[in-house]
Amino acid sequence: MDTLLIASIALMGVVGAVSYPDCQAVAPHQKTLNDVRTANISAPASPFGLIFSKQSDRAFVALNTTLGVLDTSSLKPKLMHQIPVPAEYLDPSGVKAISLTHDGRYVIASTYIGAVIVNVEKAVVGSSDAFAGALVGTAGNSSMQVTITADDKYAIVSQEYGISDGIGALEVFKLHEPTGYGSGNVTSTYVGALFLGRAVLGTALSSDGRTLYATSELAVTDTQIGANGSARGNLSVIDVETLKTDPSKALLHNVPAGCDPVRVSVAPDSSVWVTARQSNHLLAYDAKKLLSQPEKALIASVQVGTAPVGLIFVSSKHGSRILTADSNRFDQLTTTGISVVDWRAALRGKPAGLGKIPTGLFPREFAISPDGRTVLVADFDSSQVQAIDVDSLP
Ligand SMILES: *[C@@H]1O[C@H](CO)[C@@H](O)[C@H](O)[C@H]1NC(C)=O
Ligand SMILES: *[C@@H]1O[C@H](CO)[C@@H](O)[C@H](O)[C@H]1NC(C)=O
Ligand SMILES: *[C@@H]1O[C@H](CO)[C@@H](O)[C@H](O)[C@H]1NC(C)=O
Ligand SMILES: *[C@@H]1O[C@H](CO)[C@@H](O)[C@H](O)[C@H]1NC(C)=O
Ligand SMILES: *[C@@H]1O[C@H](CO)[C@@H](O)[C@H](O)[C@H]1NC(C)=O
Ligand SMILES: *[C@@H]1O[C@H](CO)[C@@H](O)[C@H](O)[C@H]1NC(C)=O
């Protein structure tokens, strides 16, 4: 290959020649990273969401009917106790994703009806009155992710299927502490909802907190959720200030987000990353272009393992990485594990996949400790919580 050709191929990776991966793309075999330090514990139920408290030695895990409190002072976590979630907020699919308010005082966990709020200070000591409130709206009973605005005054809950025809939504709640700061409980006012596509799942705030990103797995015209390999979802770009007052008017743009996009996360450089589960790829978008030139916002597409769901940014001593939880949740018997990707290399159009870390079955969601040294992953189908030592990543 001559130098000119190599140069123009390299340039293509940078100047917007990025194309969407095929929905039927198969995840290839990946190199196994046997030198990554991991430890795991079995959980009393299938773990789903995870979040650290403001202290790196305490974390929370969704355990179907309870919120487990983990001691994470050493790599191998210990389950200290479980905070029961009142049955009136639960269905058999249990507690799902968990978020922490920016002030670290409450965790908000999605359950089918909306979300439950737990007081962190009380939960870490195992107090029986740690339950602090609930968020119940009118846009559905299939909540998945909770995003809390930067000022801790609003919570946004994704409702995967909405109220009819599978059209999902984002519900917006204003949060109040009824008897003032420190009372230990939270009440809420339901502001309203923004209806998007089918299977509305992942949400994330932009680095400046002014834009919300949300994924919808399938187009409104697709009726077979998850069963149709050609289905294409969207990344919705939403104005946070409008969402706080008039949710139904807050949508700025819908941008194509490949095949079954399920989670979204924002990189330290503000770029926006989506797991396109059906095509086994990560897609990256430029944050400024998502606002001004959405049709040109796609800046990278990276192969990972089978059916990626969760994604998280880490900084190891070897550089900036993104991890994907390659769930293989539809048992295609190809790859399961955690892909390790050099996301800065991907943005330069360079090879970026570094291999995979072995996991249990159906790795689903991640959390990272405030000190950045430990990542937890929930292996849903093998009822394990696994910890990864970030410094041992390649
Ligand atoms: C969660 O608990 C309910 C009972 O409360 C049970 O029916 C269901 O199978 C459990 N789900 C999982 C995933 O363990
Ligand atoms: C959620 O389920 C409860 C209990 O079945 C029902 O009363 C309520 O109307 C449902 N809410 C929505 C928005 O569908
Ligand atoms: C918080 O809410 C719980 C359950 O509704 C209630 O039992 C408790 O008294 C409340 N605590 C305060 C300080 O308001
Ligand atoms: C994606 O957005 C386009 C344009 O707004 C819309 O026609 C399509 O139905 C949307 N698909 C999803 C998955 O929401
Ligand atoms: C996917 O679903 C759409 C709408 O339901 C349908 O038109 C299309 O033929 C389906 N494609 C495949 C490959 O099944
Ligand atoms: C979980 O830990 C056990 C030892 O406690 C180990 O044998 C097993 O390989 C670990 N599983 C994973 C997926 O790392």
Side-chain angles (χ1 to χ4, degrees):
M1 225 189 272
D2 67 28
T3 355
L4 197 63
L5 186 55
I6 294 171
S8 57
I9 290 170
L11 203 62
M12 276 164 56
V14 186
V15 294
V18 179
S19 58
Y20 288 90
D22 190 88
C23 292
Q24 314 297 342
V26 174
H29 178 76
Q30 292 167 294
K31 173 179 137 190
T32 301
L33 300 167
N34 288 313
D35 294 338
V36 175
R37 256 186 92 214
T38 73
N40 67 76
I41 54 162
S42 21
S46 301
F48 200 129
L50 295 154
I51 194 96
F52 276 83
S53 73
K54 284 280 200 188
Q55 276 74 47
S56 293
D57 63 355
R58 292 289 181 272
F60 297 93
V61 57
L63 294 174
N64 190 16
T65 55
T66 71
L67 210 57
V69 183
L70 299 171
D71 175 346
T72 46
S73 51
S74 35
L75 184 64
K76 184 171 178 167
K78 283 191 213 77
L79 180 61
M80 298 167 67
H81 39 254
Q82 299 182 67
I83 309 295
V85 171
E88 65 205 276
Y89 301 114
L90 289 171
D91 77 345
S93 65
V95 189
K96 301 198 182 81
I98 315 180
S99 297
L100 181 73
T101 54
H102 298 85
D103 65 10
R105 297 173 60 234
Y106 297 101
V107 291
I108 309 189
S110 58
T111 64
Y112 97 115
I113 206 165
V116 293
I117 306 175
V118 169
N119 182 303
V120 168
E121 198 183 347
K122 292 179 181 175
V124 295
V125 297
S127 165
S128 60
D129 68 344
F131 178 73
L135 305 177
V136 179
T138 61
N141 273 330
S142 52
S143 65
M144 181 52 74
Q145 206 158 25
V146 182
T147 291
I148 301 157
T149 53
D151 57 11
D152 280 340
K153 292 197 167 121
Y154 293 83
I156 296 137
V157 177
S158 62
Q159 286 290 354
E160 185 168 2
Y161 304 121
I163 31 183
S164 64
D165 291 336
I167 311 299
L170 299 179
E171 294 185 310
V172 182
F173 299 87
K174 184 160 175 32
L175 307 175
H176 314 273
E177 285 179 296
T179 44
Y181 199 81
S183 70
N185 280 0
V186 178
T187 59
S188 65
T189 308
Y190 181 53
V191 181
L194 169 61
F195 286 85
L196 297 167
R198 282 179 193 279
V200 176
L201 291 168
T203 54
L205 284 175
S206 60
S207 318
D208 64 7
R210 292 165 62 182
T211 307
L212 182 79
Y213 308 110
T215 61
S216 300
E217 261 187 66
L218 308 171
V220 167
T221 47
D222 276 324
T223 48
Q224 290 168 279
I225 293 178
N228 185 328
S230 72
R232 304 261 170 184
N234 280 340
L235 177 68
S236 298
V237 182
I238 297 155
D239 181 64
V240 171
E241 274 315 298
T242 313
L243 204 58
K244 290 175 176 179
T245 52
D246 202 351
S248 67
K249 298 206 170 72
L251 178 65
L252 299 172
H253 306 290
N254 278 331
V255 183
C259 318
D260 286 2
V262 286
R263 295 290 186 278
V264 55
S265 187
V266 174
D269 75 345
S270 300
S271 56
V272 181
W273 294 69
V274 168
T275 42
R277 192 183 63 203
Q278 177 66 32
S279 57
N280 314 315
H281 270 69
L282 272 170
L283 300 176
Y285 298 82
D286 179 275
K288 287 205 183 90
K289 288 196 180 142
L290 281 176
L291 294 170
S292 60
Q293 276 184 295
E295 66 290 349
K296 295 198 169 147
L298 185 69
I299 49 174
S301 165
V302 188
Q303 172 79 64
V304 291
T306 304
V309 179
L311 72 173
I312 199 158
F313 291 90
V314 302
S315 179
S316 84
K317 59 185 178 207
H318 296 109
S320 303
R321 306 286 179 250
I322 187 169
L323 310 181
T324 59
D326 302 330
S327 69
N328 191 15
R329 64 171 301 185
F330 305 111
D331 286 328
Q332 288 153 342
L333 299 175
T334 44
T335 65
T336 304
I338 294 171
S339 290
V340 182
V341 172
D342 177 344
W343 61 269
R344 290 189 193 273
L347 290 179
R348 293 193 302 269
K350 297 277 194 309
L354 298 172
K356 72 158 184 180
I357 304 167
T359 60
L361 301 174
F362 193 174
R364 196 163 202 173
E365 300 282 345
F366 290 114
I368 186 162
S369 58
D371 64 13
R373 308 292 25 108
T374 307
V375 163
L376 295 177
V377 60
D379 295 337
F380 187 82
D381 278 353
S382 46
S383 292
Q384 286 180 327
V385 177
Q386 197 174 339
I388 298 162
D389 175 5
V390 170
D391 278 326
S392 70
L393 291 173

mmCIF file of all heavy atoms in Angstrom, residues 45-46 63-65 90-94 380, ligand 1:
data_model
loop_
_atom_site.group_PDB
_atom_site.id
_atom_site.type_symbol
_atom_site.label_atom_id
_atom_site.label_comp_id
_atom_site.label_asym_id
_atom_site.label_seq_id
_atom_site.Cartn_x
_atom_site.Cartn_y
_atom_site.Cartn_z
ATOM 1 N N ALA A 45 -29.070 -12.759 45.120
ATOM 2 C CA ALA A 45 -30.047 -12.651 44.024
ATOM 3 C C ALA A 45 -29.292 -12.101 42.827
ATOM 4 O O ALA A 45 -28.142 -11.673 42.956
ATOM 5 C CB ALA A 45 -31.188 -11.707 44.415
ATOM 6 N N SER A 46 -29.929 -12.078 41.653
ATOM 7 C CA SER A 46 -29.278 -11.550 40.457
ATOM 8 C C SER A 46 -28.989 -10.068 40.632
ATOM 9 O O SER A 46 -29.925 -9.280 40.790
ATOM 10 C CB SER A 46 -30.200 -11.725 39.249
ATOM 11 O OG SER A 46 -30.499 -13.079 39.089
ATOM 12 N N LEU A 63 -30.329 -5.925 44.331
ATOM 13 C CA LEU A 63 -30.443 -7.382 44.486
ATOM 14 C C LEU A 63 -31.911 -7.812 44.419
ATOM 15 O O LEU A 63 -32.447 -8.369 45.375
ATOM 16 C CB LEU A 63 -29.793 -7.817 45.809
ATOM 17 C CG LEU A 63 -28.277 -7.611 45.905
ATOM 18 C CD1 LEU A 63 -27.757 -7.924 47.310
ATOM 19 C CD2 LEU A 63 -27.540 -8.470 44.872
ATOM 20 N N ASN A 64 -32.559 -7.497 43.332
ATOM 21 C CA ASN A 64 -33.951 -7.883 43.057
ATOM 22 C C ASN A 64 -34.942 -7.213 44.019
ATOM 23 O O ASN A 64 -35.624 -6.287 43.620
ATOM 24 C CB ASN A 64 -34.093 -9.419 43.047
ATOM 25 C CG ASN A 64 -35.453 -9.854 42.526
ATOM 26 O OD1 ASN A 64 -36.156 -9.069 41.909
ATOM 27 N ND2 ASN A 64 -35.843 -11.102 42.779
ATOM 28 N N THR A 65 -35.023 -7.665 45.253
ATOM 29 C CA THR A 65 -36.010 -7.078 46.168
ATOM 30 C C THR A 65 -35.363 -6.181 47.231
ATOM 31 O O THR A 65 -36.066 -5.617 48.066
ATOM 32 C CB THR A 65 -36.791 -8.191 46.898
ATOM 33 O OG1 THR A 65 -35.833 -9.036 47.538
ATOM 34 C CG2 THR A 65 -37.605 -9.016 45.921
ATOM 35 N N LEU A 90 -42.394 -2.899 43.679
ATOM 36 C CA LEU A 90 -41.651 -3.946 42.969
ATOM 37 C C LEU A 90 -42.539 -4.803 42.091
ATOM 38 O O LEU A 90 -43.688 -5.054 42.416
ATOM 39 C CB LEU A 90 -40.978 -4.879 43.989
ATOM 40 C CG LEU A 90 -39.808 -4.303 44.769
ATOM 41 C CD1 LEU A 90 -39.403 -5.271 45.869
ATOM 42 C CD2 LEU A 90 -38.638 -4.024 43.842
ATOM 43 N N ASP A 91 -41.972 -5.280 40.978
ATOM 44 C CA ASP A 91 -42.586 -6.380 40.233
ATOM 45 C C ASP A 91 -41.509 -7.473 40.159
ATOM 46 O O ASP A 91 -40.408 -7.279 40.694
ATOM 47 C CB ASP A 91 -43.081 -5.900 38.863
ATOM 48 C CG ASP A 91 -41.965 -5.740 37.843
ATOM 49 O OD1 ASP A 91 -40.782 -5.712 38.247
ATOM 50 O OD2 ASP A 91 -42.260 -5.637 36.649
ATOM 51 N N PRO A 92 -41.776 -8.633 39.524
ATOM 52 C CA PRO A 92 -40.770 -9.706 39.549
ATOM 53 C C PRO A 92 -39.435 -9.342 38.912
ATOM 54 O O PRO A 92 -38.431 -10.013 39.164
ATOM 55 C CB PRO A 92 -41.456 -10.849 38.797
ATOM 56 C CG PRO A 92 -42.908 -10.592 38.976
ATOM 57 C CD PRO A 92 -43.059 -9.103 38.968
ATOM 58 N N SER A 93 -39.386 -8.287 38.095
ATOM 59 C CA SER A 93 -38.088 -7.925 37.503
ATOM 60 C C SER A 93 -37.200 -7.171 38.489
ATOM 61 O O SER A 93 -36.019 -6.964 38.219
ATOM 62 C CB SER A 93 -38.283 -7.139 36.205
ATOM 63 O OG SER A 93 -38.908 -5.903 36.460
ATOM 64 N N GLY A 94 -37.755 -6.780 39.628
ATOM 65 C CA GLY A 94 -36.916 -6.293 40.721
ATOM 66 C C GLY A 94 -36.334 -4.899 40.543
ATOM 67 O O GLY A 94 -36.716 -4.146 39.658
ATOM 68 N N PHE A 380 -25.281 -10.698 36.025
ATOM 69 C CA PHE A 380 -26.691 -10.923 36.375
ATOM 70 C C PHE A 380 -27.054 -12.406 36.408
ATOM 71 O O PHE A 380 -27.618 -12.895 37.384
ATOM 72 C CB PHE A 380 -27.568 -10.176 35.357
ATOM 73 C CG PHE A 380 -29.033 -10.185 35.677
ATOM 74 C CD1 PHE A 380 -29.553 -9.280 36.585
ATOM 75 C CD2 PHE A 380 -29.894 -11.086 35.066
ATOM 76 C CE1 PHE A 380 -30.912 -9.272 36.893
ATOM 77 C CE2 PHE A 380 -31.251 -11.081 35.354
ATOM 78 C CZ PHE A 380 -31.761 -10.178 36.273
HETATM 79 C C1 LIG B 1 -37.176 -11.495 42.137
HETATM 80 O O1 LIG B 1 -38.013 -11.790 43.209
HETATM 81 C C2 LIG B 1 -39.320 -12.219 42.814
HETATM 82 C C3 LIG B 1 -40.114 -12.470 44.066
HETATM 83 O O2 LIG B 1 -40.238 -11.325 44.793
HETATM 84 C C4 LIG B 1 -39.238 -13.472 41.979
HETATM 85 O O3 LIG B 1 -40.529 -13.795 41.504
HETATM 86 C C5 LIG B 1 -38.313 -13.233 40.802
HETATM 87 O O4 LIG B 1 -38.110 -14.429 40.096
HETATM 88 C C6 LIG B 1 -36.958 -12.700 41.253
HETATM 89 N N1 LIG B 1 -36.208 -12.336 40.098
HETATM 90 C C7 LIG B 1 -34.924 -12.603 39.964
HETATM 91 C C8 LIG B 1 -34.297 -12.145 38.687
HETATM 92 O O5 LIG B 1 -34.267 -13.172 40.819
#
